[in-house]
Amino acid sequence: MKFARNVALVLAVAASSCVGAFSTSRINNAMKASSNAATMLRETNGGLDTDDILPSFSTKEEYVSYLKKAGSLPDGFALGTAKGTFVSVEAPAMGPLPIKATVIHLTEGPTDSWAAVFTSNRFPGCPVKVGKDRLAKGHPLQALVINNKVSNVCPGGDGIAAAESVCSAVAEGLNLPGGANTVLPSSTGVIGWRLPAKELAEDVVPKAIEAIQADSAFAAAEAIMTTDRYPKLRSKTLSNGVRVVGVAKGAGMIEPNMATMLGYIMTDATIEKRKLQAMLSAACNSSFNSMSIDGDESTSDTVVAIASGLKPLSSEDELRAALFDVCEGLASDIVRNGEGTGHVMRVKISNFPGSEYDARRMGRHLVNSPLVKCAISGNDPNTGRIAGAIGSFMGKFFPKESVDEMSLTLGGRTIFNNGKFVLEGQEVEEELSNHMADAQLGEHDDFPQHQRFVEIGVDFGGEGSDVTVLGSDLTKEYVEVNADYRS
């Protein structure tokens, strides 16, 4: 098994795939206008925000420099990271293993304005249990602590006590007046191992607190990684200067409801707790709960939004749009960074004869098909596999709905219409294969060279729901990573 991943996110890899589904009808005209205003500001604020579509990068250094510049923290936040080692009680023969901790601190005091979405896996990690309890009881927060390598899920010892001891170390190190109850823990990594709480509390967390800085969120994006090949960070500046900055990790065990993924969104906006929770829940449904890498739902997935409340908010619609943009950007980055991912599929579903929820289910079914994944991996335009996966889903779950008007496109070219394939010889075959090859990524790349997709369109005709789902292909690298995960 793997680390913690499950925020209402669906990364399905049926051996190496990623999927993300986003509603295309969620933002009203007012929100779009606010987003346009924020875009104009970004163009004049020296590039302090990430672009909606990230640019192409030729080196890892270019990518890192871009994220560091765009990761400027909102007012009232500081964070530190540190490394340490531990020896697993469950596998001592593996010797000393690396572990990292990240501490995020609200420097101006605790806040009641925080929201969270947790995995729906019935075997949640102990930090998830602690977090749900904090949320239910309405505790304010002043710090978050995140460790990688060990997910603290169903361990042999007292995992909740272990998580609380790390929170206590953070509260003591930062002199938090509210104590451990104002610290939210998260863990990601190997499932079933005991959390090395002593090493974290006595060594790694104190070093992370010593390293706290208020400049950039990039260090956190890097420290929370596990099998991720590169860090993920997205940011937005609202028209009145309010900042929204998010970081996330996740590369496998990704399938809603959330996956082995962690996400943290920080803002200096002033916003009521209930409104922030509603915004975050909706944003997660349209992003993290709409993608799949391998179809395995994590036990530790957590997405948190936290507001320092140091700046007035001029438009709730603008903040909502920024949250959606940051979450959808991070979800796209997670799929592109999927374990062994060589291609990212973007499936745009139109006029589905059912709800958006069911349309996303169909999209995930398509991107999670091992046959479709393998064809995409090999740049093989085996279009029958796409139609077959759709037909399988509709036959099982919507047998009474007509598919007579359904049309399919690949790379913008119609390949199926009115119940028949539209394939016209070698020239079309090569065009479709070239489209896949143009979207290919390096399976070992430590930065995203481009943002291209294998574009698949599914239109059922008539009227219905519109969504977009992201998924990854299946490669030999995915198998190798997960065959040797714990080491």
Side-chain angles (χ1 to χ4, degrees), residues 13-16 339-340 443 474-485:
V13 186
S16 175
E339 292 167 354
E443 298 169 24
L474 176 56
T475 65
K476 180 181 177 181
E477 175 67 9
Y478 175 85
V479 177
E480 291 178 348
V481 167
N482 286 283
D484 197 27
Y485 171 74

Side-chain angles (χ1 to χ4, degrees), residues 361-431:
R361 286 178 58 212
M362 196 218 77
R364 292 195 300 268
H365 183 86
L366 173 58
V367 298
N368 285 334
S369 164
L371 291 177
V372 172
K373 286 177 175 291
C374 290
I376 298 296
S377 177
N379 298 323
D380 177 14
N382 193 337
T383 54
R385 294 181 176 182
I386 297 173
I390 296 170
S392 170
F393 179 87
M394 297 302 291
K396 290 178 181 178
F397 302 108
F398 290 86
K400 295 182 180 180
E401 297 292 343
S402 173
V403 294
D404 293 344
E405 296 183 17
M406 188 190 77
S407 63
L408 300 177
T409 60
L410 179 59
R413 171 177 282 275
T414 299
I415 58 173
F416 185 91
N417 195 30
N418 296 322
K420 296 181 180 180
F421 284 98
V422 185
L423 302 173
E424 303 166 354
Q426 188 62 28
E427 183 176 343
V428 173
E429 177 85 1
E430 292 178 0
E431 176 187 329

Side-chain angles (χ1 to χ4, degrees), residues 133-366:
D133 183 68
R134 301 259 202 277
L135 189 64
K137 292 179 178 177
H139 287 303
L141 286 187
Q142 195 173 355
L144 297 88
V145 59
I146 308 109
N147 72 271
N148 72 352
K149 196 59 181 180
V150 177
S151 66
N152 194 12
V153 174
C154 303
D158 189 338
I160 290 180
E164 290 284 16
S165 70
V166 176
C167 291
S168 294
V170 173
E172 181 178 347
L174 293 173
N175 296 313
L176 303 184
N181 282 335
T182 59
V183 182
L184 186 73
S186 297
S187 299
T188 181
V190 178
I191 292 173
W193 283 9
R194 292 170 175 81
L195 185 73
K198 185 175 186 294
E199 291 87 341
L200 286 168
E202 297 181 5
D203 176 37
V204 191
V205 164
K207 290 190 296 187
I209 291 174
E210 289 179 7
I212 275 185
Q213 49 80 32
D215 297 326
S216 176
F218 177 80
E222 202 169 38
I224 62 177
M225 297 192 305
T226 48
T227 56
D228 307 65
R229 286 173 288 150
Y230 46 82
K232 289 160 283 293
L233 181 152
R234 293 284 177 143
S235 62
K236 289 283 183 181
T237 301
L238 277 58
S239 57
N240 70 338
V242 164
R243 290 278 290 163
V244 180
V245 180
V247 298
K249 62 81 51 182
M253 204 172 182
I254 305 285
E255 166 82 17
N257 295 303
M258 293 198 304
T260 274
M261 67 147 283
L262 302 175
Y264 305 95
I265 302 164
M266 297 162 279
T267 180
D268 44 23
T270 300
I271 181 75
E272 292 179 30
K273 181 182 182 71
R274 63 178 181 83
K275 292 181 178 180
L276 184 61
Q277 183 66 60
M279 290 180 185
L280 179 65
S281 297
C284 284
N285 280 336
S286 116
S287 57
F288 300 121
N289 284 340
S290 303
M291 65 182 180
S292 178
I293 291 178
D294 47 19
D296 285 325
E297 182 178 3
S298 165
T299 54
S300 305
D301 295 344
T302 298
V303 173
V304 179
I306 186 165
S308 66
L310 296 185
K311 290 182 179 178
L313 183 62
S314 59
S315 169
E316 291 182 6
D317 284 342
E318 192 178 6
L319 178 61
R320 176 183 169 89
L323 277 173
F324 270 79
D325 287 344
V326 166
C327 287
E328 290 181 358
L330 290 172
S332 176
D333 295 339
I334 287 172
V335 177
R336 195 168 298 279
N337 184 97
E339 292 167 354
T341 293
H343 299 77
V344 178
M345 292 176 272
R346 180 161 62 184
V347 181
K348 295 185 178 181
I349 301 169
S350 304
N351 303 307
F352 181 82
S355 66
E356 288 186 359
Y357 172 81
D358 286 322
R360 285 193 290 269
R361 286 178 58 212
M362 196 218 77
R364 292 195 300 268
H365 183 86
L366 173 58

